[in-house]
Amino acid sequence: MPASVSRSQRSSSSVGSASSAFLDKLEAEASGADILDNSSALQAGIFGVLFTVTKEKYNTGWRFLLLKLVLDYLQLFTLTFSDSEPWVFDEKNVLWKVAQTVNIDQVIAPLGYHFFIGLLYIMIGLLVLMMGLSLWVAWCFKNRSFPSVWPIKVLRVYANLFFQILDVLTLSLFQVPFNCRHIGYNPSEFDYMADYPNIRCSSFPHVVHMVTSGCSLLVFVVFALLNLGADFELSPLEKGLLTVANGQVEVQAFIVKFAMTFVSYAIGWQNVRLVLLLILAAALTYLYLRWSPHLVSWVNHLRVGLYTSVLLSSVLAVVLVHGPLSPPSAVAAHRKRITRLLWALIGPAALLGAAASYCRLNVWSAYVLKCFREASPGEKARRIYKFGDPREVEIVSRVCRKWVDQHREVLDKKAVKEGEIIIKAGLQLFPGRCYMLILYSNYLIDVLDNSQTGYSQMAAAKQAGPDWMQRFAIFAREQEQLQRMSSARGGESGVDLVSYVEYQKNHRLVIRAHKDALIATRTFWQVLLHNHVRFTALAAALNEIERTVLKAEAAYKMVLSRYPTNSKLARTYGRFLENVVNNPWKAAKYYVLAERLTEMQEADEAAGAEMAASGGGEAAVENRLLHRVDERVNAVFIINANGIIQMANKNACSLLGYGKGELDGKNINVIMPPPFSQRHNKYVRQYAHTGRETVLNTVVSVPALHKDRYVIPVRVGVTKVSGAADSSTFMGVLEPIAQERNEANVYLLPGGTVAAVDRSFVDWFAKELDDCIAQHLADLTADEASAVAIREAVERIAVASKAAAAAVTGCTTGNTRG
């Protein structure tokens, strides 16, 4: 025994010193790293709520489009065509009657001050509810656990109703308490509400209402801007009628609408108010004419046409107040003439605006495409056509939205190629611009079906100084990528929280139905066990079996039709058919289907690992282990920048004693013994933030931790396969080190305490694993002389290690031969 330990000491000294120096190097590079990033956590929470709320759209049909456009137009129209201006109103006019239904001054003010205050606090209560639900959704998104989906549905309804449809009306409602005639009004009316002249604004309790309404207005504006800025589609092929490709336009339009309501309520000088409304109406029309945010072109034309008619009413309102001052007959005739002119020109103005939008979008895009079609090969993009803004590139690239079949599924290859040429020209004109990188990434992923290159472009965009909307676009694409990676599991690991919760609900539904059928069967046999069996009880038990089996059958068919690629569901249904329905032949079919789905999933994951490995051009793999990765033979792990395992192949799970998929979602440190497991996350974060490599593209020998807590000596190679910084993805390849039959390994801390042992060591000493861990190696020996020799050897190793590397907290390795 002493001789054997001597050999063990020599091995421990060399390997232990190397391991200690290796750990010391990593620890030195990781010093000073800031683990906590509160701003990133806050951003992730906000983006999580926005992604969850805007993921699924209710506003895709023509009914919602019609409702939104009509109400949006009427709310804006009544800001200029109101009874505060000298229009000649015809109470029989249909448009006037309809417009007044959304005019807060005409509808709510006559109902009295207390009714208004009650309505105001109802709106504030809804806003507070929305804030609370948003915080709840953020917390659930962070924890990846949603007990219910109704809060998400409530948030979606609120966002669609108050941010999309009744935005102007809501803004006006929150501003009514401030309509106190402070700017440009008669001094005798100062500080009295315009709609309720007997209410003094500076009196109590109206001051409280003003403060509460002001805070609510601020919160509403912030939430609306966030929602509108995030409510856009990444894919250029989306078919929704209100699909927006540029959320920035919606944000700017909301700001203009807010300014219009503020001017309408706050400024008493009629000339100044109407001129400002004219400028803001022109700005709103220009926004949609210039940038055409909707992917469906005719929706842009329709909106520009409606806003042009609002602009017309603003222009004529300015003309209206600059007519003759006397005599009264001339003033009345002038007002009547301008009012009639408005009704006569409102339709032609809308058509003129729609025509202008058509020329801007279709004619201009056709001209740009013609320039590129007729350009000579090799000519630089700036000489063909010089785009003034990256958003213009996106507008012209919509040429790809041409389908050659009636179902709009197959794209025109020529149009797709032209769209790609336009985007590449934009990349030449605007190199390094985050917007262009995101645009190109979306085109690669959704149009060209080249996800690998597309996500590489998205990773580059993350380092190109994105603004908050672009960061959200990157965040949303990352969530979709994770969802797509887990789609092979049929929804059970989906990142989209709503889909995940729906899957969990459906899974619990079939399990509950399955359980009910088993309970009914058990009850039937329990009835038969009695000495006296009543026919009524027997019939009731049989009816219950039939009812529960039919219910379970229906539940299984519904869920399997929704998740046809879920091997777990198929296998569970097979057990139901075999054990409950007593149909082994049909059950065998589902067992075979489950096995086939499992094999397909493994093949997809193997292809994903191979694709990731082949896509790692950023870090060339030069060592022999990583260079000959064979996913069918090697143990392969894919992890993200947080150390979370994205994929562990079948060989990795088998090597470490885990079931298929059991390691997915866990931290990689679960397969490492201490002290490696305690430090690994810090090393990964340090690399993500500094880019300094330690073990990347090299092969090192380390112990891997089996599920049963004993260790396996392995060689591991790690390389980065894609991404940058926090979006990095790494691949690790494990290869077990062959051991001789008479060899066992023990891993010691510097003081001689056992940190980990392999299976052979446990077998040799005939002890349980828990009896070895945290014990001194000398305490495991059978005689006092061996214990003394081991303690002396451990002390010599500790002294040598300290001399070689001061203050090293390492792990020494012993090799014992029999």
Side-chain angles (χ1 to χ4, degrees), residues 152-204:
I152 300 175
K153 296 180 180 179
V154 171
L155 285 176
R156 285 174 179 163
V157 171
Y158 185 94
N160 282 322
L161 184 60
F162 295 106
F163 297 153
Q164 300 276 352
I165 299 177
L166 301 178
D167 49 356
V168 176
L169 186 64
T170 307
L171 290 171
S172 300
L173 181 68
F174 282 129
Q175 293 181 74
V176 167
F178 299 92
N179 190 7
C180 299
R181 302 174 178 175
H182 287 161
I183 304 175
Y185 288 94
N186 192 315
S188 62
E189 301 174 338
F190 183 83
D191 203 34
Y192 285 92
M193 294 188 67
D195 293 328
Y196 310 100
N198 60 329
I199 302 297
R200 189 179 180 88
C201 293
S202 58
S203 63
F204 186 85

Side-chain angles (χ1 to χ4, degrees), residues 65 69 240-243 288 293-306 357 361:
L65 172 68
L69 294 184
L241 295 180
L242 273 172
T243 300
Y288 283 89
H294 294 281
L295 290 176
V296 180
S297 58
W298 63 266
V299 178
N300 293 299
H301 311 331
L302 185 57
R303 293 197 79 166
V304 173
L306 293 175
S357 176
L361 182 58

Side-chain angles (χ1 to χ4, degrees), residues 257-369:
K257 294 176 183 179
F258 176 51
M260 292 179 73
T261 59
F262 175 80
V263 168
S264 177
Y265 281 96
I267 298 179
W269 296 302
Q270 190 177 57
N271 292 338
V272 176
R273 180 176 68 248
L274 292 177
V275 170
L276 290 177
L277 287 174
L278 170 60
I279 294 172
L280 292 171
L284 185 62
T285 306
Y286 174 79
L287 274 175
Y288 283 89
L289 177 64
R290 177 78 169 84
W291 300 118
S292 301
H294 294 281
L295 290 176
V296 180
S297 58
W298 63 266
V299 178
N300 293 299
H301 311 331
L302 185 57
R303 293 197 79 166
V304 173
L306 293 175
Y307 292 150
T308 304
S309 66
V310 174
L311 177 61
L312 172 68
S313 67
S314 302
V315 172
L316 293 181
V318 174
V319 175
L320 183 70
V321 299
H322 287 86
L325 300 178
S326 61
S329 58
V331 174
H334 173 73
R335 293 176 177 177
K336 182 177 292 187
R337 184 167 55 251
I338 298 301
T339 304
R340 288 178 177 175
L341 186 63
L342 172 64
W343 297 126
L345 295 180
I346 196 169
L351 293 176
L352 180 62
S357 176
Y358 178 86
C359 293
R360 159 63 185 167
L361 182 58
N362 297 78
V363 177
W364 169 72
S365 297
Y367 169 74
V368 175
L369 291 171

Side-chain angles (χ1 to χ4, degrees), residues 24 88 95 163 215 244 270 308-309 370 406 420 447 489 595 597 606 637 657 718 727:
D24 186 53
V88 177
L95 184 59
F163 297 153
C215 296
V244 173
Q270 190 177 57
T308 304
S309 66
K370 180 181 178 183
Q406 61 178 352
E420 184 181 10
V447 181
R489 300 181 181 92
E595 292 298 327
L597 291 174
F637 290 88
V718 183
S727 62

Side-chain angles (χ1 to χ4, degrees), residues 702-810:
V702 294
L705 189 63
H706 193 273
K707 184 179 181 181
D708 294 334
R709 310 311 295 168
Y710 65 85
V711 295
I712 304 172
V714 297
R715 283 189 294 271
V716 60
V718 183
T719 186
K720 186 174 77 171
V721 295
S722 66
D726 292 336
S727 62
S728 300
T729 301
F730 303 91
M731 180 177 68
V733 182
L734 272 64
E735 185 178 80
I737 298 175
Q739 293 181 256
E740 297 181 10
R741 294 183 60 184
N742 60 343
E743 180 178 298
N745 292 287
V746 56
Y747 298 83
L748 307 177
L749 295 175
T753 302
V754 177
V757 297
D758 63 5
R759 176 61 66 85
S760 299
F761 185 89
V762 175
D763 295 339
W764 280 19
F765 281 84
K767 292 180 177 291
E768 296 292 335
L769 183 66
D770 293 338
D771 296 334
C772 298
I773 305 300
Q775 300 291 327
H776 197 284
L777 182 62
D779 296 336
L780 302 179
T781 58
D783 58 90
E784 185 64 26
S786 299
V788 171
I790 289 176
R791 291 183 186 277
E792 293 175 353
V794 169
E795 290 177 2
R796 289 196 301 271
I797 294 173
V799 171
S801 298
K802 289 180 179 179
V808 171
T809 313

Side-chain angles (χ1 to χ4, degrees), residues 3-24:
S4 299
V5 173
S6 176
R7 287 193 296 269
S8 172
Q9 291 165 352
R10 289 194 295 270
S11 177
S12 294
S13 179
S14 59
V15 179
S17 298
S19 300
S20 300
F22 167 70
L23 291 172
D24 186 53

Side-chain angles (χ1 to χ4, degrees), residues 244-253 286-295 360-361 364-365 385 387-398 422-423 426-427 429-430 433-437 439 467 469-470:
V244 173
N246 187 356
Q248 185 176 351
V249 176
E250 294 296 315
V251 170
Q252 293 171 342
Y286 174 79
L287 274 175
Y288 283 89
L289 177 64
R290 177 78 169 84
W291 300 118
S292 301
H294 294 281
L295 290 176
R360 159 63 185 167
L361 182 58
W364 169 72
S365 297
Y385 185 86
F387 291 99
D389 189 278
R391 287 176 289 180
E392 292 182 347
V393 179
E394 184 273 325
I395 294 173
V396 181
S397 69
R398 296 177 196 172
I422 294 297
I423 293 178
L427 288 170
L429 289 169
F430 308 101
R433 293 283 288 272
C434 183
Y435 183 91
M436 285 305 309
L437 293 172
L439 177 62
D467 59 28
M469 277 186 276
Q470 292 164 354

